[in-house]
Amino acid sequence: MDFLHKNRKIAIFILLGLLIFVALSSLTFGQVPIPLKNTVAVVFNGFGLPGFTPQDFTKEQEAIIWFIRLPRMLVGVLVGAALGTCGAVMQGIFSNPLADPGLIGISSGAATGAVLSIALGTATTSMYSMPAFAFCGSICAVCLTVFLAMKNGKIPVMTLLLSGVAVGMLLGALTSGILTFMNEQKLQQYLFWMVGGLDYRRWEHVYMAIGPICFGIVIMNLLARHLNILVLGETEAKAVGMHVTAFRMGLLFISALTTATSVCVSGNVGFVGLVIPHMMRMLIGPDHRYLLPASALGGAMFLVLCDSLGRILIAPAEVRVGIMTALLGTPYFLYLLRKMRKQFF
């Protein structure tokens, strides 16, 4: 552990190597096992890379890898990286290891938008309808939270947290109200979205997520040095000339954009943004210049691993990834909660 603290770049490369290993395993294993060489051949050939030819794999293997497993794995990587990075940013902004991306109403807003799309019947007409509604709901929830918390151009952290809780409860009540007027088929559609999953993800979902998520992750990493200053305290940040309110709002909205995009394509996946950043902080330390990329890699690896286990454990049935992250993340969350209780109470 001390070695990784002192050699953070090595730790980043180790995490990258583990992510590649987990990603390849996800493509290889499943109800139809495919040899690793054939898997790599399909991927290389699909992206037009040299080294393999169509004679190195069968049409069935190509269909399974290229049209089913690869888009699903890439969506898992994007969503996991987004939630991990946003979780680390939220914990830095609020100086609280129990903070996560859903703290300011993002998940509640996405849920309200999704159920509204299902209730109006637009979710069955286009695959982009529900993600669009969920995204708009998330952004509206964040705007409402910030509006309620802002006073004289400033946003106190505690007020922002309380506003997020209030907005989440309001949107939860609104979502429940809409659900009472929906039939059983629509309720089942909403339930599967709320649990969170990567099944039936296609290349359209990859294209939908890759732009906003990569943009958000890059911007948050570029601001990592400023986040280090903000963590020291508002007084210290102002002493070095930082506009604390503007910087905090900018990070909040970038996190909201990134998280909302991930929720749109995967549904509500919990614990990634809460557990992974805390584990990475214990692994490589609190410096956000290394913590943010480590959280992105760790979140991607964790989500792809959970999805792979969900596909394999009780095959041919499948445990959705939102359930797997909860099963694996809850014990660590309880440990973290117990540790926080001993520290503060």
Side-chain angles (χ1 to χ4, degrees):
M1 190 73 70
D2 291 335
F3 172 79
L4 295 178
H5 269 267
K6 296 176 182 178
N7 300 272
R8 298 185 181 95
K9 292 182 179 179
I10 295 178
I12 298 294
F13 280 109
I14 291 174
L15 289 171
L16 179 60
L18 289 173
L19 173 59
I20 294 173
F21 172 77
V22 171
L24 287 175
S25 300
S26 174
L27 295 177
T28 302
F29 296 104
Q31 294 186 34
V32 181
I34 298 176
L36 179 59
K37 180 182 178 181
N38 298 49
T39 300
V40 175
V42 172
V43 175
F44 271 57
N45 186 74
F47 286 114
L49 300 175
F52 295 93
T53 65
Q55 286 71 39
D56 294 321
F57 50 85
T58 65
K59 290 292 184 181
E60 291 78 10
Q61 291 172 341
E62 181 183 26
I64 293 172
I65 296 296
W66 188 256
F67 295 106
I68 299 176
R69 293 183 186 174
L70 185 58
R72 178 173 183 157
M73 184 271 290
L74 290 176
V75 171
V77 169
L78 290 169
V79 172
L83 295 177
T85 305
C86 292
V89 169
M90 289 289 180
Q91 292 174 11
I93 291 175
F94 298 120
S95 300
N96 188 337
L98 296 180
D100 77 328
L103 201 61
I104 56 176
I106 298 174
S107 299
S108 301
T112 303
V115 74
L116 188 60
S117 172
I118 295 171
L120 295 175
T122 61
T124 58
T125 60
S126 172
M127 64 170 287
Y128 298 105
S129 177
M130 190 189 298
F133 272 76
F135 180 79
C136 292
S138 297
I139 298 301
C140 290
V142 174
C143 291
L144 180 59
T145 300
V146 171
F147 173 76
L148 292 175
M150 184 173 290
K151 182 178 181 181
N152 299 326
K154 297 181 179 180
I155 307 178
V157 173
M158 187 56 65
T159 307
L160 185 66
L161 290 172
L162 294 175
S163 299
V165 172
V167 169
M169 293 176 65
L170 173 64
L171 293 175
L174 183 60
T175 301
S176 299
I178 298 174
L179 288 173
T180 58
F181 296 98
M182 291 168 58
N183 58 40
E184 185 176 347
Q185 182 180 0
K186 291 183 176 180
L187 281 174
Q188 188 175 14
Q189 187 179 357
Y190 172 74
L191 175 64
F192 274 96
W193 185 86
M194 272 302 294
V195 171
L198 301 178
D199 45 323
Y200 304 114
R201 299 302 90 179
R202 304 200 297 267
W203 283 105
E204 290 87 345
H205 297 95
V206 178
Y207 303 146
M208 188 189 306
I210 191 169
I213 287 179
C214 290
F215 172 79
I217 290 176
V218 168
I219 295 299
M220 284 184 282
N221 276 275
L222 290 176
L223 296 175
R225 190 183 300 272
H226 299 79
L227 187 57
N228 282 340
I229 298 174
L230 184 62
V231 171
L232 296 176
E234 191 167 328
T235 303
E236 289 77 3
K238 289 181 177 179
V240 298
M242 180 184 292
H243 197 306
V244 175
T245 300
F247 177 75
R248 185 175 286 152
M249 284 188 62
L251 271 178
L252 284 174
F253 278 106
I254 293 171
S255 299
L257 170 70
T258 310
T259 304
T261 304
S262 68
V263 171
C264 290
V265 295
S266 67
N268 193 13
V269 179
F271 287 97
V272 179
L274 174 67
V275 172
I276 295 301
H278 188 72
M279 294 179 67
M280 294 300 107
R281 191 178 291 106
M282 294 175 62
L283 183 67
I284 65 172
D287 189 342
H288 288 86
R289 292 175 299 173
Y290 301 98
L291 178 60
L292 295 188
S295 297
L297 293 171
M301 180 175 60
F302 178 66
L303 197 61
V304 173
L305 178 62
C306 287
D307 182 54
S308 301
L309 290 175
R311 287 190 292 114
I312 296 170
L313 285 179
I314 56 173
E318 181 176 319
V319 181
R320 291 172 69 85
V321 70
I323 298 174
M324 291 299 302
T325 57
L327 289 174
L328 297 178
T330 299
Y332 187 82
F333 174 73
L334 294 175
Y335 157 75
L336 180 59
L337 193 63
R338 184 176 180 84
K339 182 179 177 181
M340 294 291 292
R341 187 182 66 178
K342 289 181 178 180
Q343 183 176 351
F344 293 106
F345 298 101

